[in-house]
Amino acid sequence: MSDDRPAWARRIAAERAARDWSQRDAVRALRAHAPTELPADDSMIRQWKRWESGSLPSEFYRPIIAALFGTVTHALFPAPGRRDGNSEILAASGMETLEIVSRLNRSDVDNATLDALRITTDRLCSEYPFMPSEQLLIEGRQWLRRVVELHSKSLTLAQHREVLALSGWLALLVGCVEYDSGDRHAAESTRRAALSLATESDQAEIAGWAHEMRAWFALTTGDYRGVITAAQAGTETATHHSVAVQLAAQEAKAWARLGDRRQVEVALDRGRRLLEGLPHPENLDNHFVVDPAKFDFYAMDCYRLVGEDKLARTLADEVLRTGTDFDGTERSPMRNAEARVTLGVTAAREGDLEQALIHGERALRGDRQSVPSLIMTSRELAAVVRDRYSQEPAALDYLSQLQELGRTKPGFLPA
């Protein structure tokens, strides 16, 4: 079959193959997810062949196919959703950063300035995946300080609530980057500040993300019951917001590490159903937006842990494809790193040490890293390498590299 098929057509074929299904098997499984009766098998198999050849399914079939493979429609059939934050600031307010800062020094603040601050906050949150953590931390803290100082200005009640919300989003961002950088204590303090701001401004979504951060912190430090507690608290707070999808994913990851496959599927399915019902995000780059492609990333982690290597490898390939631009630029370097670890784990389990180490070492090279998450997943690769290849010099070299990474970030030294 031609390699110039659309990415979704290649993925449908790969997902089917990962489950060892024939096309007839896939059609029969599809029926279980269809809301109405489908045509006869022979007709549907011809339809399936057309889909795998690159003929786009109708809008009726797209969500059914996505559900069949445990994902969401816009992950399998992407829709555009990227914005240029800097251009939008100028388009919306006509202000460069210098003018925004100048306006912030006035005794009162107009709505145009708040609009520019809102878009600036969105831009910073959108630069999380790829801006060097040191630079993003400096910028994030600077803008957080500027916004917090607005509390001393003359503000209407609505403006006061807006300033509290902007402070909350910036605190979430700063806390995430602090944790990525290995500063666990600062990150927890900032997270609590964000939760307090969310409570004061009655912003359930910000509160939900503060709970999600607590779940993430617990996951990377091995407190899996703590993940579940934090995820459930966040879901109760922000049930109808997109953060509930990520909370379900964190819970699924914890259940996977506790070895409960049934609860993994329950949590993933809850997140998938919620995400499928949400409107498509306007800005896929914002870290606090759950874009459809993230769901494949969550499932990849879970399937790797429960030993579903074919599914994990298929999803890792998809994460790398969607996280890399046509020119090779990595749009989602942190997700890509974990995808490479997943490919390394599956290769190691299959007896291919060379490929396992190629993927594992490449994952460690990225300029933009979430050190706790990278070490957590790399530890899983290290365990397989140590168990099966402990006498191989190349394996010992990789283990030394991983140990050195942990040593440079106190508090995150791998086992």
Side-chain angles (χ1 to χ4, degrees):
M1 195 168 289
S2 172
D3 286 337
D4 61 1
R5 291 174 297 158
W8 56 262
R10 295 196 300 271
R11 181 173 176 186
I12 287 174
E15 291 273 10
R16 177 177 62 77
R19 290 163 174 77
D20 294 322
W21 287 348
S22 67
Q23 291 178 332
R24 185 174 295 276
D25 293 332
V27 164
R28 288 174 176 169
L30 190 71
R31 294 187 184 282
H33 297 274
T36 60
E37 185 72 21
L38 298 181
D41 275 3
D42 288 346
S43 174
M44 285 303 304
I45 291 169
R46 288 194 296 272
Q47 185 74 274
W48 191 279
K49 289 179 184 293
R50 287 195 290 270
W51 293 338
E52 287 197 8
S53 297
S55 177
L56 183 66
S58 69
E59 291 186 3
F60 171 78
Y61 282 110
R62 288 175 217 169
I64 305 174
I65 297 168
L68 170 66
F69 293 131
T71 188
V72 291
T73 305
H74 286 304
L76 194 54
F77 305 100
R82 291 190 169 274
R83 299 193 322 221
D84 182 341
N86 287 317
S87 297
E88 191 169 346
I89 293 172
L90 286 170
S93 64
M95 284 184 259
E96 297 277 8
T97 298
L98 184 60
E99 185 177 353
I100 298 173
V101 174
S102 175
R103 283 170 172 253
L104 294 179
N105 291 328
R106 298 177 183 176
S107 59
D108 59 351
V109 177
D110 59 22
N111 289 332
T113 304
L114 285 177
D115 285 342
L117 279 175
R118 191 182 305 113
I119 298 166
T120 298
T121 300
D122 182 75
R123 176 183 63 79
L124 288 168
C125 292
S126 300
E127 290 175 344
Y128 172 84
F130 52 84
M131 182 182 284
S133 54
E134 298 84 357
Q135 181 183 347
L136 186 56
L137 193 55
I138 291 170
E139 287 197 36
R141 284 172 172 168
Q142 285 176 340
W143 282 106
L144 177 57
R145 186 163 50 250
R146 289 163 182 159
V147 173
V148 167
E149 287 172 354
L150 288 179
H151 293 290
S152 64
K153 307 291 185 182
S154 176
L155 301 171
T156 66
L157 180 60
Q159 288 175 332
H160 179 67
R161 285 174 58 112
E162 178 74 9
V163 168
L164 285 172
L166 290 172
S167 301
W169 287 117
L170 287 167
L172 289 173
L173 175 65
V174 169
C176 286
V177 183
E178 286 171 338
Y179 198 72
D180 285 339
S181 304
D183 195 343
R184 185 190 306 177
H185 298 297
E188 174 60 16
S189 296
T190 309
R191 184 196 72 82
R192 292 188 181 201
L195 184 58
S196 177
L197 288 162
T199 302
E200 192 175 351
S201 60
D202 194 26
Q203 289 281 332
E205 188 174 14
I206 294 174
W209 279 107
H211 286 295
E212 191 278 336
M213 287 173 66
R214 174 71 189 101
W216 173 35
F217 296 175
L219 183 72
T220 55
T221 53
D223 178 14
Y224 305 134
R225 293 293 175 181
V227 177
I228 296 166
T229 299
Q232 292 174 349
T235 301
E236 185 175 342
T237 300
T239 306
H240 303 296
H241 293 279
S242 68
V243 64
V245 178
Q246 190 142 320
L247 288 161
Q250 298 290 25
E251 186 177 338
K253 291 181 179 185
W255 286 120
R257 286 165 172 81
L258 289 168
D260 193 327
R261 172 63 185 270
R262 179 179 177 279
Q263 290 297 334
V264 169
E265 296 292 353
V266 168
L268 283 177
D269 190 58
R270 185 171 71 248
R272 185 191 65 77
R273 290 175 182 273
L274 176 60
L275 184 55
E276 189 67 85
L278 293 173
H280 191 63
E282 291 183 12
N283 181 11
L284 297 179
D285 289 327
N286 190 309
H287 180 59
F288 301 108
V289 166
V290 181
D291 72 271
K294 272 187 181 177
F295 199 80
D296 295 329
F297 174 68
Y298 307 146
M300 174 195 76
D301 180 89
C302 295
Y303 287 133
R304 181 187 69 248
L305 285 159
V306 298
E308 292 280 3
D309 288 348
K310 287 184 179 179
L311 293 177
R313 186 167 54 247
T314 299
L315 289 173
D317 288 337
E318 184 65 16
V319 168
L320 286 169
R321 186 190 67 77
T322 59
T324 307
D325 283 330
F326 69 93
D327 61 356
T329 302
E330 300 216 346
R331 190 166 58 238
S332 303
M334 290 179 285
R335 289 191 218 173
N336 287 359
E338 292 190 39
R340 291 188 174 100
V341 173
T342 295
L343 292 174
V345 170
T346 59
R349 287 173 180 164
E350 292 170 354
D352 192 340
L353 175 62
E354 181 180 2
Q355 280 300 309
L357 296 182
I358 287 172
H359 290 303
E361 289 170 358
R362 188 170 179 191
L364 300 179
R365 286 191 213 130
D367 293 329
R368 181 66 175 96
Q369 297 177 339
S370 175
V371 174
S373 297
L374 182 56
I375 287 181
M376 175 185 71
T377 53
S378 294
R379 184 185 295 133
E380 295 161 16
L381 175 55
V384 178
V385 169
R386 189 181 295 114
D387 180 58
R388 302 189 183 198
Y389 309 101
S390 61
Q391 304 304 312
E392 296 285 344
L396 295 174
D397 184 56
Y398 169 73
L399 294 173
S400 296
Q401 288 184 61
L402 185 57
Q403 192 75 13
E404 181 59 29
L405 176 63
R407 196 175 293 116
T408 62
K409 301 294 181 183
F412 293 114
L413 188 66

